[in-house]
Amino acid sequence: HLGAHADAPSHYAADGASIEAVPLEAYIGPCTVVHAIGVRHVLTAAALSEIIGGRRLAPRVLIRFYETAPQDRWDSRFAAIAPEAIVWLADKGVILIGVDTPSLDPQSSKLMDAHHAVHARGLRILEGLVLDDAAEGDYELIALPLKLDGLDAAPVRAILRTA
């Protein structure tokens, strides 16, 4: 969980595809960066709805929790996303969720409920992004995972271009 990476469905589902078999379309295209800076613990659907307000979301949403991502240390109390927030985003047409934390689920999670919500809705995941310079707003995301046979995740070099 170090560095920007894409989780494959095999990371959280026994019947899930490994990273080389995941279609790339979800990792390229219109994206909305949302700031939830300062949120600790779990971002709920209600809190996410309040943060987003009436803004339209692109099909890819990146959530920035950190003012400055801790790249030189492990933050064991990183923010996570509640499963109902995943469902809320999917209902809005989101196909990819990215975060600047190591995981969608809390470090202590044994059940990986947020990951399972992603799997149930067929979404894709980016974790460990560095969004320190990303203002809220709309961009084009390019974040292709490396084609590594049989693995449950792969590094990405994610870039945002102004739309």
Side-chain angles (χ1 to χ4, degrees):
H1 282 100
L2 294 176
H5 64 278
D7 280 354
S10 63
H11 181 67
Y12 41 84
D15 63 345
S18 54
I19 199 66
E20 84 283 355
V22 175
L24 297 177
E25 290 80 10
Y27 302 99
I28 304 171
C31 169
T32 301
V33 172
V34 174
H35 284 190
I37 296 171
V39 168
R40 299 304 285 170
H41 309 296
V42 178
L43 179 63
T44 64
L48 184 57
S49 175
E50 185 175 320
I51 289 167
I52 291 170
R55 288 184 288 165
R56 179 197 61 80
L57 294 175
R60 295 150 196 87
V61 171
L62 305 183
I63 301 172
R64 180 178 170 190
F65 289 106
Y66 291 112
E67 185 70 41
T68 303
Q71 297 181 60
D72 60 346
R73 64 182 169 76
W74 181 261
D75 176 12
S76 61
R77 296 180 0 187
F78 59 83
I81 301 177
E84 70 270 10
I86 303 289
V87 171
W88 186 86
L89 287 167
D91 287 347
K92 300 269 184 225
V94 171
I95 61 171
L96 177 141
I97 299 169
V99 292
D100 61 352
T101 58
S103 178
L104 297 183
D105 285 294
Q107 178 173 306
S108 61
S109 174
K110 302 293 184 221
L111 301 177
M112 295 178 61
D113 292 331
H115 282 79
H116 291 297
V118 163
H119 183 61
R121 291 304 192 93
L123 279 62
R124 297 292 173 248
I125 301 171
L126 294 174
E127 297 170 331
L129 300 168
V130 176
L131 300 171
D132 296 358
D133 296 322
E136 282 192 299
D138 293 327
Y139 299 87
E140 176 188 22
L141 171 69
I142 303 169
L144 300 175
L146 293 178
K147 188 175 183 177
L148 300 172
D149 286 347
L151 295 185
D152 69 346
V156 300
R157 180 146 186 204
I159 63 169
L160 293 172
R161 296 196 309 187
T162 53

